[in-house]
C-alpha cells in the first residue's frame, strides 16, 4: 500500500488534480472525431454551428418546437417520462462536471503564474487552443440543454418567459463570445458549469424521489454567479473601450475580444441578473418580511428552478401542488 501511494501523483499547480487530464480527454476526443482535441481548430463558416445563420436557425427551431408543441399537447395527456428525465439530468451533470475540471486544469496554472488580468484579457491566457476546444464544446452543450424545455412541453408544464428566454439567449451568448474571441468568457462559463453540476444533480435526485432541502440555495447561487459575471464582464469591457477610445482613462491594459461580443455579454448577463433577482423576490417575498420568520419554508415556498415558475397559492398553503408546479431551470 505504501508503495502504491508513493506512485500516486499529488496535486500541484501544474496538475491541479494530480493526474494530467488533458491527454486522457485528447484520446477520448480522437475516438469520437478521428483526430485529437489538440488538433481542433475553430473556423467560422467551416466548423459546425459556427455561423450566425446556423445559430439563428436552431434558435428559431427551438421556439417553434416548444411553443408549437405546447399547442399540440393540449390535445394529449401529459407524459410521465421520469426515467428519461432522470437520464437527461444525470448526463448533463456528468458533462458539466467533466468540462469544469478540464477548464480548471487549464486555468489554475495560468492564474497562479500570470494573474487574473492576464488570464481574462490576454489571448495567451484566456484563448489558448485547449480552452477554445472547451469553449466550443460548452457552446454545443447549450443546444443539448434545449431538451430541458422539451420535457416541460411533453409533461404539460407551463412555459415561462425566464425559462424560454434564458435557453435561447445563453446559446446566443456562447456563440457571440466564441466568434468574438473574448478571453474573459471562461469566467461565466466555469461558474455556470459549477452551478449546473449542483442544479442538474438536484433534479436527478429529485426524479429519483430523494427529498432535498437546499433547492432555494441554488437560486441564490445563480444570483451570485451573475453578480460575479457582471463584475468581470464590465471590467473587461471597460478595459477594452478605455484603452481604445479613452486613452486618458485609468486602465490596466487592453482586453482581448470584439466589441459586439462585449455588448452582447453586457446585455445578456445583466438581464439575467435582474430577472433572477426578480424571480427570487417574487418567490420568497413572504419569507423575507422583517419580523415575520416562517417555519418549514422548505415545504411552503416550493421553488423549483426547473421551469422558472411560482407555485399557486393553494400549493403554497399545503406544501403540495395538484397542478403544474413552478420550476426554474438554469443558469
Amino acid at each position: 500500500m505504501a508503495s502504491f501511494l508513493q506512485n500516486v501523483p499529488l496535486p500541484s499547480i501544474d496538475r491541479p488534480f494530480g493526474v494530467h487530464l488533458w491527454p486522457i480527454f485528447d484520446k477520448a476526443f480522437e475516438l469520437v472525431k478521428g483526430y485529437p482535441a489538440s488538433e481542433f481548430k475553430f473556423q467560422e463558416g467551416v466548423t459546425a454551428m459556427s455561423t450566425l445563420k446556423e445559430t439563428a436557425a436552431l434558435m428559431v427551431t427551438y421556439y417553434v418546437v416548444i411553443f408549437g408543441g405546447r399547442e399540440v399537447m393540449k390535445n394529449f395527456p401529459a407524459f410521465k417520462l421520469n426515467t428519461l428525465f432522470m437520464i437527461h439530468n444525470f448526463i448533463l451533470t456528468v458533462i458539466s462536471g467533466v468540462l469544469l475540471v478540464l477548464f480548471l486544469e487549464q486555468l489554475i496554472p495560468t492564474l497562479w503564474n500570470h494573474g487574473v488580468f492576464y488570464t481574462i484579457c490576454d489571448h495567451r491566457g484566456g484563448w489558448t487552443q485547449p480552452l477554445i476546444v472547451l469553449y466550443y464544446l460548452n457552446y454545443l452543450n447549450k443546444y443539448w440543454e434545449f431538451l430541458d424545455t422539451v420535457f416541460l412541453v411533453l409533461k404539460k408544464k407551463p412555459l415561462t418567459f425566464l425559462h424560454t428566454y434564458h435557453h435561447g439567449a445563453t446559446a446566443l451568448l456562447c456563440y457571440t463570445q466564441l466568434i468574438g474571441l473574448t478571453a474573459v468568457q471562461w469566467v461565466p462559463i466555469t461558474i455556470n458549469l459549477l452551478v449546473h453540476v449542483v442544479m442538474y444533480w438536484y433534479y436527478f435526485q429529485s426524479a429519483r424521489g430523494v427529498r432535498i432541502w437546499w433547492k432555494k440555495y441554488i437560486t441564490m447561487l445563480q444570483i451570485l454567479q451573475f453578480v460575479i459575471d457582471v463584475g468581470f464582464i464590465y471590467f473587461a469591457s471597460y478595459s477594452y473601450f478605455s484603452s481604445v477610445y479613452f486613452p486618458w482613462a485609468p486602465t490596466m491594459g487592453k482586453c482581448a475580444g470584439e466589441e459586439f461580443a462585449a455588448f452582447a455579454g453586457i446585455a445578456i448577463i445583466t438581464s439575467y441578473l435582474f430577472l433572477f433577482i426578480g424571480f427570487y423576490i417574487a418567490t420568497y417575498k413572504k419569507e423575507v418580511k422583517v419580523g415575520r420568520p416562517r417555519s418549514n419554508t422548505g415545504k411552503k415556498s416550493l421553488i423549483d428552478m426547473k421551469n422558472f415558475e411560482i407555485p399557486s397559492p393553494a400549493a403554497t398553503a399545503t406544501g403540495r401542488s395538484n397542478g403544474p408546479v413552478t420550476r426554474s431551470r438554469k443558469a
Side-chain angles (χ1 to χ4, degrees):
M1 176 63 74
S3 175
F4 171 76
L5 292 176
Q6 288 178 354
N7 294 325
V8 174
L10 296 176
S12 64
I13 294 300
D14 292 329
R15 294 188 179 184
F17 302 100
V19 178
H20 197 186
L21 300 176
W22 184 259
I24 301 173
F25 170 74
D26 206 39
K27 292 184 180 299
F29 189 96
E30 186 174 9
L31 289 175
V32 176
K33 294 294 294 180
Y35 59 90
S38 55
E39 296 179 8
F40 173 83
K41 293 182 180 179
F42 180 81
Q43 297 177 290
E44 188 176 354
V46 177
T47 306
M49 296 305 302
S50 63
T51 66
L52 181 59
K53 182 179 179 179
E54 291 172 303
T55 302
L58 262 187
M59 290 176 62
V60 170
T61 301
Y62 166 69
Y63 288 113
V64 169
V65 168
I66 62 172
F67 290 116
R70 182 179 61 177
E71 298 304 310
V72 171
M73 284 302 297
K74 289 180 179 179
N75 302 316
F76 297 93
F79 293 93
K80 297 295 183 183
L81 303 175
N82 194 61
T83 300
L84 286 176
F85 185 66
M86 195 162 44
I87 294 172
H88 169 73
N89 284 283
F90 181 77
I91 289 173
L92 284 175
T93 302
V94 173
I95 291 175
S96 299
V98 169
L99 288 175
L100 177 60
V101 296
L102 288 171
F103 266 109
L104 293 177
E105 182 182 61
Q106 297 297 318
L107 293 166
I108 288 175
T110 307
L111 285 165
W112 179 268
N113 294 320
H114 300 283
V116 174
F117 185 82
Y118 177 88
T119 313
I120 66 172
C121 284
D122 196 301
H123 268 165
R124 294 169 296 176
W127 190 255
T128 63
Q129 196 277 338
L131 287 176
I132 294 172
V133 177
L134 298 178
Y135 292 151
Y136 179 67
L137 292 178
N138 179 74
Y139 162 62
L140 294 182
N141 190 47
K142 297 307 165 189
Y143 295 111
W144 175 268
E145 291 173 3
F146 281 0
L147 291 177
D148 289 355
T149 320
V150 174
F151 275 106
L152 297 184
V153 170
L154 295 176
K155 295 163 76 173
K156 299 186 75 169
K157 302 293 184 181
L159 300 180
T160 64
F161 171 78
L162 182 53
H163 178 89
T164 54
Y165 165 74
H166 183 273
H167 273 285
T170 300
L172 179 62
L173 174 64
C174 290
Y175 170 75
T176 60
Q177 303 310 298
L178 190 57
I179 66 169
L181 314 177
T182 59
V184 73
Q185 64 182 287
W186 64 262
V187 176
I189 287 175
T190 53
I191 302 175
N192 182 249
L193 288 170
L194 173 61
V195 171
H196 280 192
V197 170
V198 176
M199 185 184 69
Y200 283 116
W201 180 252
Y202 163 77
Y203 286 110
F204 168 70
Q205 294 290 6
S206 295
R208 293 178 58 234
V210 178
R211 294 177 61 86
I212 298 177
W213 57 268
W214 40 263
K215 53 187 171 181
K216 168 182 176 180
Y217 296 97
I218 301 178
T219 307
M220 297 172 67
L221 182 60
Q222 289 173 312
I223 293 173
L224 176 62
Q225 165 194 354
F226 296 126
V227 170
I228 296 172
D229 290 350
V230 163
F232 273 91
I233 291 170
Y234 279 42
F235 172 79
S237 299
Y238 168 82
S239 298
Y240 173 86
F241 288 109
S242 61
S243 62
V244 173
Y245 297 105
F246 311 102
W248 47 265
T251 181
M252 294 180 64
K254 183 179 178 179
C255 257
E258 301 291 338
E259 294 182 9
F260 73 88
F263 286 123
I266 289 172
I268 294 175
I269 295 296
T270 302
S271 70
Y272 288 170
L273 177 59
F274 283 106
L275 287 170
F276 272 83
I277 290 175
F279 169 75
Y280 182 88
I281 292 174
T283 305
Y284 292 100
K285 59 185 176 181
K286 292 183 180 180
E287 293 184 31
V288 298
K289 288 182 179 179
V290 177
R292 295 185 58 186
R294 299 183 63 187
S295 62
N296 202 16
T297 56
K299 290 184 179 179
K300 293 185 180 180
S301 22
L302 279 181
I303 173 178
D304 187 337
M305 297 184 313
K306 195 72 166 179
N307 309 342
F308 291 115
E309 299 167 19
I310 302 169
S312 66
T316 304
T318 62
R320 299 187 307 180
S321 173
N322 296 323
V325 176
T326 308
R327 302 194 163 183
S328 130
R329 189 150 194 140
K330 270 197 122 85

